[in-house]
Amino acid sequence: MAQIMKMVAQRFALGFLTLFVVSLIIFLGIELLPGDIAEEILGQGATPETVAAFRRELGLDVPAHIRYVEWLWNMLQGDMGRSLANKREISELIGLRFGNTLFLAVTAAAISVPLALTLGVLAALYRYSFYDRAVNVVTLSSISFPEFFVAYILIFFLAVTYPVFPSIANISDATPFWDKVYKVLLPALTLTLVVVAHMMRMTRAAIINLLASPYIEMANLKGLSRARIIVKHALPNALAPIINVVVINLAYLIVGVVVVEVVFVYPGLGQLMVDSVSKRDLPVVQASAMIFAGTYVLLNLLADILSILTNPRLLHPR
Amino acid sequence: MDATLRLLRSAPPTALFGLFIIFAYSFIAIFAPVLTPYGETEIVGAEFEPWGEGFVLGTDSLGRDMLTRLIYGARNTIGIAFLTTALAFLLGSVTGFLAATISGWVDQLLSRIVDVLMAIPALIFGLLVLTIVGTSITNMVLVIAVLESTRVFRLARAVAMGIVVMDYVEAARLRGEGLWWIMTREVLPNALPPLVAEFGLRFCFVFLFISALSFLGLGIQPPTADWGSMVRDNATLITFGDITPLMPAAAIALLTVAVNFVVDWFLHKASGLKE
Amino acid sequence: MSEHNDKDILVRIRGLRIEGQSGDHWTEIVHGVDLDLHKGEVLGLIGESGAGKSTIGLAAMGFARDGCRITGGEILFDGTDLAKAGEDEKRKIWGARIAYVAQSAAAAFNPAHRLIDQFTEAPVQHGLSSRAQSEEEAKALFARLQLPDPDGIGLRYPHQVSGGQLQRAMTAMAMSCKPDLIIFDEPTTALDVTTQIEVLAAIRDAVEAFDTAAIYITHDLAVVAQMADRIMVLRHGNLVEEGETRAMLAAPKEDYTRDLLSVRSFRRPEHPIPAGEAPLLKVDNVTAAYGDVPVLHGVSVDIHRKRTVAIVGESGSGKSTLARVITGLLPAKSGAVSYDGEEMPLSYKQRGKDQLRRMQMIYQMPDTALNPRQRIRDVIGRPVSFYLGLTGKQLEDRVRELLTMIELDPDDYIDRLTTELSGGQKQRICIARALAAEPQLIICDEVTSALDQLVAEDILKLLQRLQDDLGLSYMFITHDLATVRAIADEVVVMYQGKVVEHGPKTEMFKPPHHDYTDLLLSSVPEMDPDWLDKLLADRAEQAKQGRVLKAADH
């Protein structure tokens, strides 16, 4: 047990170290990249005075390390500074929108995870069958579709030709829960289509890999029933790879929302980030990037830790 | 020649379809100026003209010929994606081979840098950097090439790691061969098949990535014709039941599907699997 | 054909044909084999790689691995044709009436479950026994198979048990339903010789005690001689010869069987140490470690000109590490390596071209020792041009000359890719590559263990001839004492990173010895069918006198 705790603690430490380095990159990226950000943003026509004033506003007159410590300290307390574009508190801007993004991602995950796992396991069990080949071609194609293509196809069929769902997912704080679910269904479906293909291909590969192992052959040669082989012999060993597949795809979902949010004009963090990039509203972009990257790092950390906790060799050390 | 024919005859229909599409696209991309009825940025009609005699696929939001833009889009988008992928491969495989062959602290350093870069989702990282350096084609190509090279690095390093532990590499080291010989003569030829397959997959990713950025208005900038921004600019037509804006999106999808089919076939061939 | 009568027949296979998939098409790999097995009889299936022995063994259960299919013939098990039986029918028989013991127990046990759970699974699922009853039987069987702590070992997970013990636990599991037949598929191939003895003894004892019939599959004739009542020799999916064990060993009918039998009889006279001559290679008090784990403790070895020194030991003894230290791949922590009186830098990176040239290495796996993307011309030509600077016509001539030396036709082979060769041919190319540098010393790291016995013997003879022609010295690392007997002048026995004994071959094969040397030497199976009985009796006798020889596996 001590060994496991040690490994988990190590992963945690590594995860937080990664977060720290990521925050460094996100904040200090300006220093590393060529050109003066203030001049870049203000354009060629800016006078030296306006540039200097703008630099002060961005805090660029303060040495980078002090600026970073301050930023991190404020960030940890929930204060992310103010937007350049409209001077509003970033935490206010982001809070609600991040909630919306999570809502969309969770809805998509709730549909896609069970679907992908079922399809993946079936494809693995009936491999080389017609079903398996068909699924292979379909998923290979849908992996290749840009998210916005899938989104517009769905809009074209389900919002325009047969107006079942709204083509714009404009929700607000006041929207009742089920109404929210209804409005978010089309973007969630888009994400599902994009992510299911990946997830089920990975599930299929993991299961096939597992079924090829000598202990499964042994279970067969012990005359056990197919059901028992799957449940007792394959499943306990499949947990780690499957957890891995699910978490990696959840992380992918969190990022995948960006484009989908733009298509459906969904008031999420991705939409905000894209708007802020066009306006070159650096503080907002930094804060959003930090939140996206943080979620991504934490999800990967979770996958790591879960796979340690489900490994029998580690659970029962020599 | 015979061998090529035999190979093609053994290919599954999906792979043949993929190869055909790839050749067709390359042809269109290369001969774009000859094939198009109008100029790339030429305004030739009213806004959003419907399909018809003069404009086979109608006109776009500024009154430019859709078909012409679509064909030039092939040239621009595919060309840029290909260039970016090639850059990513050059960077990623050279550093990956170096890390595996030298190992020790060089490997540690490169691997840790890549770990950190990969800890941030590529699209988010791309958006952040583009905010700072500004949106231009050069910036975008460089940013995506660097980001994608991390994934190439991982694969190249892993493949090379499997090769440098082989006894034939040990024999070459013990013979006194230098780093360059080992990388080019012993590692590279054996690492080629997985890297070629990965090139196809990476190209798809890069292609989709660029299209996504362009779609978001942060990639290839107007007036250059590009499939991602064409979808964005004309998206309003969809709500009127016009599928024209879906065509550039479909063009993207078709090419990535084609490349994926070919790669899939290649991987099965290379691994000798029976599936 | 035997004293059994037909009513006793448990398995009767007629005209068995099996196809294997290679690429997109199927090719036949077993061409109509007949087999009879009587109740309580142990049948040995023997053959080299590609003989189809494992495939036939599994087919006796009506099972074909992925990529194989049974295409013809009948497999009658107690009256049921398993070739035609349905999946459900076969599953009723598998585990309950026919059990299987795999080559690698470590891979064949499910890592997620305790041994006892895996033991009781078949009897409970087949409805033959209750869980509690089966657990009691497990303890009795574990004890019978001489596993330590038979009451407690079942509670362990597979990775918590050593390889030799796990193989015995798997045998116990196979017996959990008191089957009529057990298929043993190379059960001791992955084990060290000293561990192998205990597993062989346990298997034989258990099979006799329950009067179980068995098919014992192995490539080692000496092992099968201890285990089987009757032997079938297979080659390329055909039956070569079949007969009672003793009769076949005494008077083999076919040439191929005779070749297999004589494999261990190749001997070379010992070269004397030239008096007063300084050793070519001197390893002096060398210590080495992987990171913080020490693997060699003060090892000293001398190798004289034109002599063969065999380094003998089991896995983990440090014998291959010694080779890495000498070549400089793993620089020694302390001690010195001198060549021809000159002390060499410890790391190969600091050694000069000529220092590297004079000492060459040949590897265990010819498959991984040759770059699959290179042609023979380049493989052999590179050291010639690299060290000796030959180019053009001279280079080509030298490569051809080297190919002739290793008995491969230059015209036929010079432009082939290394992947277009058989295992033995690849090893010959490796030898040519080493010779191309014109060395005085060649380190041979288990060069014959990956090869079939007949091929291995040809390689040994070739090395022998080259030594005589070119005056080479060999450092021969091996775990196989038959090889040592065949070609060594001098033997060094290593155990846990130390040299426990060394001396000329003639002395080393005569007692008395260090305990470990005795254990190692006595554990090498011999063709004599009574060898195992005698050995066990002998060890029991010694144990009474207080000298216990135990495998390193514990």
Side-chain angles (χ1 to χ4, degrees):
Chain A
M1 233 30 220
Q3 195 200 352
I4 282 223
M5 293 316 285
K6 199 177 144 206
M7 287 185 73
V8 169
Q10 272 173 352
R11 289 304 147 98
F12 262 111
L14 199 66
F16 285 106
L17 184 69
T18 314
L19 270 185
F20 172 72
V21 178
V22 165
S23 77
L24 269 180
I25 293 177
I26 287 177
F27 190 74
L28 295 180
I30 326 168
E31 308 287 326
L32 300 174
L33 289 164
D36 184 298
I37 176 88
E39 278 176 25
E40 276 271 332
I41 292 180
L42 291 175
Q44 306 242 306
T47 61
E49 288 77 39
T50 45
V51 171
F54 189 63
R55 288 179 62 86
R56 239 190 326 279
E57 192 187 336
L58 280 174
L60 288 174
D61 49 342
V62 184
H65 60 278
I66 297 180
R67 202 152 27 102
Y68 171 74
V69 173
E70 244 174 47
W71 178 75
L72 190 66
W73 179 244
N74 290 337
M75 190 90 175
L76 288 175
Q77 292 176 319
D79 174 9
M80 305 182 193
R82 284 171 184 280
S83 153
L84 291 181
N86 53 20
K87 311 295 175 222
R88 285 176 60 192
E89 284 278 344
I90 296 176
S91 46
E92 234 173 75
L93 274 173
I94 284 181
L96 189 65
R97 281 162 168 269
F98 187 49
N100 287 343
T101 291
L102 283 183
F103 182 72
L104 173 55
V106 167
T107 314
I111 306 171
S112 57
V113 172
L115 188 65
L117 293 187
T118 316
L119 291 176
V121 171
L122 284 179
L125 289 184
Y126 299 101
R127 61 182 182 281
Y128 320 136
S129 69
F130 174 76
Y131 165 77
D132 183 34
R133 280 168 215 273
V135 155
N136 183 42
V137 172
V138 170
T139 54
L140 208 51
S141 312
S142 77
I143 285 174
S144 319
F145 286 7
E147 283 117 337
F148 53 85
F149 184 45
V150 178
Y152 282 126
I153 290 180
L154 287 180
I155 289 181
F156 182 76
F157 285 110
L158 295 179
V160 179
T161 318
Y162 307 98
V164 189
F165 295 106
S167 67
I168 290 181
N170 53 340
I171 60 164
S172 75
D173 230 6
T175 320
F177 179 77
W178 287 112
D179 205 23
K180 254 193 201 174
V181 172
Y182 169 68
K183 284 187 164 171
V184 97
L185 220 48
L186 214 45
L189 212 55
T190 309
L191 283 172
T192 302
L193 284 177
V194 173
V195 94
V196 154
H198 267 286
M199 218 189 303
M200 77 145 283
R201 282 177 82 87
M202 287 164 80
T203 309
R204 176 182 180 275
I207 301 279
I208 286 183
N209 192 14
L210 191 77
L211 291 181
S213 50
Y215 58 79
I216 297 294
E217 178 180 285
M218 184 47 108
N220 269 308
L221 292 178
K222 277 160 87 176
L224 307 177
S225 66
R226 274 175 183 279
R228 188 176 171 88
I229 291 172
I230 298 291
V231 175
K232 281 290 270 193
H233 288 273
L235 214 56
N237 296 293
L239 273 181
I242 287 182
I243 288 173
N244 220 6
V245 170
V246 169
V247 177
I248 287 174
N249 282 285
L250 289 185
Y252 179 82
L253 261 186
I254 292 287
V255 181
V257 295
V258 174
V259 171
V260 174
E261 283 182 4
V262 171
V263 173
F264 289 93
V265 204
Y266 182 79
L269 189 57
Q271 160 96 305
L272 174 72
M273 186 168 177
V274 170
D275 282 350
S276 307
V277 173
S278 334
K279 293 183 209 148
R280 307 195 79 172
D281 191 343
L282 191 61
V284 179
V285 174
Q286 283 176 328
S288 321
M290 193 62 219
I291 290 176
F292 274 122
T295 317
Y296 192 79
V297 170
L298 289 178
L299 278 172
N300 280 318
L301 175 66
L302 184 71
D304 261 6
I305 288 174
L306 285 177
S307 68
I308 292 176
L309 292 180
T310 49
N311 185 338
R313 278 167 218 267
L314 293 172
L315 280 179
H316 313 283
R318 295 193 86 126
Chain B
M1 204 56 215
D2 265 5
T4 321
L5 273 179
R6 217 173 314 128
L7 191 68
L8 282 180
R9 212 165 296 147
S10 75
T14 47
L16 288 177
F17 166 77
L19 284 172
F20 171 74
I21 296 291
I22 292 171
F23 278 114
Y25 270 56
S26 315
F27 179 82
I28 291 173
I30 293 167
F31 295 103
V34 187
L35 295 172
T36 49
Y38 306 101
E40 181 180 356
T41 57
E42 197 181 341
I43 295 177
V44 290
E47 294 157 22
F48 294 136
E49 278 195 39
W51 295 14
E53 197 78 356
F55 315 107
V56 180
L57 295 177
T59 61
D60 71 357
S61 55
L62 293 177
R64 294 169 295 196
D65 180 47
M66 263 298 202
L67 181 64
T68 305
R69 302 275 295 166
L70 205 56
I71 292 174
Y72 270 102
R75 188 174 230 212
N76 298 329
T77 318
I78 297 174
I80 290 173
F82 192 83
L83 177 73
T84 312
T85 318
L87 266 179
F89 258 77
L90 195 66
L91 187 62
S93 47
V94 169
T95 48
F97 286 170
L98 274 176
T101 316
I102 304 179
S103 73
W105 67 269
V106 177
D107 180 28
Q108 283 296 318
L109 181 73
L110 287 169
S111 295
R112 291 298 82 75
I113 292 176
V114 164
D115 279 352
V116 170
L117 287 179
M118 286 183 75
I120 309 176
L123 182 61
I124 302 299
F125 207 161
L127 290 179
L128 177 75
V129 178
L130 289 177
T131 318
I132 300 171
V133 298
T135 45
S136 74
I137 291 183
T138 327
N139 285 345
M140 183 183 70
V141 167
L142 289 177
V143 169
I144 298 180
V146 170
L147 288 179
E148 287 297 315
S149 73
T150 58
R151 277 148 227 274
V152 180
F153 170 88
R154 280 263 173 105
L155 180 82
R157 178 179 173 276
V159 172
M161 278 292 195
I163 297 170
V164 294
V165 296
M166 290 290 176
D167 292 334
Y168 59 83
V169 178
E170 191 179 299
R173 287 188 205 268
L174 282 180
R175 197 186 307 139
E177 302 283 6
L179 185 63
W180 182 250
W181 171 280
I182 291 176
M183 271 175 55
T184 53
R185 300 301 187 89
E186 310 284 352
V187 176
L188 182 64
N190 290 292
L192 224 43
L195 281 180
V196 168
E198 181 71 4
F199 190 92
L201 294 180
R202 277 304 120 204
F203 172 79
C204 290
F205 270 96
V206 168
F207 190 57
L208 290 176
F209 196 165
I210 291 178
S211 304
L213 278 181
S214 300
F215 172 78
L216 296 174
L218 306 169
I220 300 172
Q221 296 294 315
T224 310
D226 150 79
W227 290 341
S229 47
M230 283 173 74
V231 177
R232 174 197 178 84
D233 294 343
N234 305 300
T236 39
L237 282 180
I238 293 173
T239 40
F240 300 108
D242 183 344
I243 59 153
T244 319
L246 286 181
M247 303 199 61
I252 297 169
L254 191 58
L255 179 59
T256 38
V257 169
V259 175
N260 265 320
F261 279 163
V262 175
V263 170
D264 199 47
W265 172 52
F266 182 84
L267 282 176
H268 283 305
K269 271 268 175 232
S271 66
L273 285 179
K274 51 186 180 280
E275 281 176 74
Chain C
M1 151 179 121
S2 78
E3 72 274 24
H4 296 278
N5 70 50
D6 268 11
K7 264 187 270 170
D8 286 339
I9 282 195
L10 183 64
V11 180
R12 162 162 277 165
I13 295 179
R14 285 294 173 269
L16 177 67
R17 291 180 184 276
I18 300 175
E19 289 185 352
Q21 197 175 26
S22 56
D24 297 332
H25 56 277
W26 295 86
T27 38
E28 194 169 87
I29 50 175
V30 173
H31 319 281
V33 167
D34 297 345
L35 179 153
D36 284 305
L37 180 68
H38 300 90
K39 287 183 179 145
E41 185 189 29
V42 178
L43 172 69
L45 290 188
I46 182 154
E48 299 181 305
S49 55
K53 51 193 190 302
S54 286
T55 316
I56 294 172
L58 282 168
M61 304 179 74
F63 183 82
R65 290 209 164 107
D66 272 353
C68 285
R69 62 182 186 196
I70 299 169
T71 48
E74 52 177 19
I75 304 160
L76 291 172
F77 173 78
D78 210 13
T80 313
D81 186 357
L82 295 179
K84 299 193 179 61
E87 192 71 19
D88 290 339
E89 201 174 351
K90 283 192 279 191
R91 280 183 196 275
K92 275 193 203 107
I93 292 172
W94 292 347
R97 301 199 56 200
I98 312 178
Y100 178 71
V101 175
Q103 174 170 352
S104 166
F109 269 115
N110 191 325
H113 300 299
R114 295 174 198 276
L115 295 181
I116 191 74
D117 295 330
Q118 305 196 43
F119 179 97
T120 56
E121 191 173 21
V124 173
Q125 290 300 312
H126 285 292
L128 298 171
S129 173
S130 72
R131 163 88 196 197
Q133 194 190 339
S134 177
E135 272 183 34
E136 285 313 308
E137 283 167 7
K139 286 171 190 168
L141 265 170
F142 288 157
R144 170 119 227 161
L145 288 156
Q146 300 188 352
L147 284 163
D149 183 21
D151 292 344
I153 197 167
L155 298 176
R156 299 208 210 155
Y157 285 86
H159 65 273
Q160 296 170 321
V161 178
S162 77
Q165 293 172 4
L166 213 50
Q167 205 69 47
R168 278 177 279 165
M170 171 145 300
T171 305
M173 183 164 86
M175 312 207 84
S176 63
C177 293
K178 309 263 176 349
D180 302 303
L181 168 64
I182 302 182
I183 316 279
F184 292 96
D185 192 357
E186 304 246 17
T188 62
T189 306
L191 304 175
D192 278 325
V193 272
T194 56
T195 317
Q196 168 170 277
I197 296 301
E198 297 177 358
V199 176
L200 288 180
I203 290 177
R204 208 178 59 174
D205 175 64
V207 169
E208 270 170 17
F210 294 97
D211 199 25
T212 315
I215 294 180
Y216 195 100
I217 299 160
T218 178
H219 65 279
D220 190 338
L221 201 48
V223 165
V224 90
Q226 313 308 315
M227 309 300 288
D229 303 319
R230 199 153 51 86
I231 295 176
M232 285 171 72
V233 181
L234 298 162
R235 190 183 196 192
H236 305 321
N238 288 310
L239 178 67
V240 174
E241 184 171 355
E242 179 180 6
E244 299 295 321
T245 302
R246 281 168 198 278
M248 183 187 287
L249 292 178
K253 289 199 245 359
E254 300 292 324
D255 286 346
Y256 180 68
T257 316
R258 244 190 303 278
D259 286 346
L260 282 181
L261 269 168
S262 66
V263 132
R264 287 158 192 264
S265 59
F266 167 58
R267 290 281 190 286
R268 184 197 86 132
E270 191 181 311
H271 290 190
I273 298 186
E277 198 199 79
L280 178 64
L281 178 82
K282 191 168 181 61
V283 179
D284 191 18
N285 200 18
V286 155
T287 310
Y290 286 118
D292 293 332
V293 187
V295 275
L296 290 182
H297 315 270
V299 172
S300 299
V301 174
D302 286 354
I303 299 178
H304 285 82
R305 279 169 211 279
K306 302 181 189 174
R307 279 170 62 87
T308 301
V309 175
I311 313 282
V312 185
E314 295 180 293
S315 51
S317 61
K319 57 189 193 305
S320 287
T321 308
L322 181 60
R324 293 176 65 82
V325 166
I326 294 172
T327 53
L329 281 167
L330 180 73
K333 294 258 168 188
S334 66
V337 178
S338 317
Y339 191 92
D340 214 359
E342 169 199 5
E343 190 168 327
M344 293 219 279
L346 292 176
S347 165
Y348 76 97
K349 289 177 188 160
Q350 265 96 51
R351 292 184 187 172
K353 220 175 183 176
D354 205 50
Q355 287 176 321
L356 292 171
R357 182 189 64 77
R358 288 186 292 178
M359 195 156 71
Q360 291 293 311
M361 183 141 175
I362 305 173
Y363 296 87
Q364 174 172 6
M365 309 290 261
D367 285 332
T368 64
L370 293 174
N371 189 332
R373 301 270 159 182
Q374 283 177 357
R375 294 192 184 276
I376 309 275
R377 174 192 297 283
D378 302 316
V379 173
I380 304 179
R382 178 62 186 172
V384 177
S385 59
F386 184 78
Y387 289 127
L388 310 169
L390 299 189
T391 49
K393 177 85 171 69
Q394 279 180 309
L395 175 63
E396 163 110 15
D397 287 348
R398 179 62 183 151
V399 171
R400 286 174 172 275
E401 193 183 345
L402 285 161
L403 278 171
T404 316
M405 278 163 81
I406 54 160
E407 297 155 12
L408 291 180
D409 176 16
D411 292 328
D412 193 0
Y413 287 92
I414 195 162
D415 281 317
R416 287 208 204 180
L417 279 171
T418 56
T419 43
E420 294 165 330
L421 302 176
S422 71
Q425 290 170 335
K426 283 181 188 167
Q427 198 59 294
R428 283 170 190 265
I429 298 298
C430 291
I431 294 172
R433 176 173 65 187
L435 292 179
E438 303 187 359
Q440 292 148 310
L441 172 67
I442 298 182
I443 298 175
C444 305
D445 189 359
E446 303 264 15
V447 289
T448 55
S449 10
L451 305 173
D452 280 325
Q453 291 179 12
L454 293 175
V455 179
E457 185 162 85
D458 287 343
I459 294 287
L460 289 182
K461 284 179 180 157
L462 172 68
L463 284 170
Q464 195 46 59
R465 210 200 72 221
L466 292 168
Q467 180 169 45
D468 295 341
D469 291 355
L470 304 170
L472 296 166
S473 303
Y474 293 138
M475 175 171 141
F476 215 97
I477 296 167
T478 183
H479 68 277
D480 180 14
L481 286 142
T483 310
V484 176
R485 278 209 183 99
I487 70 156
D489 297 310
E490 217 174 312
V491 182
V492 174
V493 181
M494 289 189 69
Y495 180 58
Q496 295 183 346
K498 294 192 187 83
V499 172
V500 291
E501 204 162 357
H502 66 99
K505 172 171 70 175
T506 38
E507 280 173 32
M508 290 302 289
F509 283 98
K510 274 185 231 142
H513 291 299
H514 181 275
D515 276 2
Y516 178 72
T517 314
D518 256 353
L519 174 69
L520 189 64
L521 292 179
S522 64
S523 298
V524 180
E526 290 168 18
M527 292 293 179
D528 175 8
D530 297 321
W531 168 80
L532 185 59
D533 292 324
K534 284 186 206 151
L535 177 74
L536 293 173
D538 190 39
R539 285 197 183 164
E541 188 59 35
Q542 291 204 17
K544 271 188 215 150
Q545 294 161 14
R547 189 165 181 242
V548 181
L549 298 178
K550 267 275 178 196
D553 195 33
H554 286 273

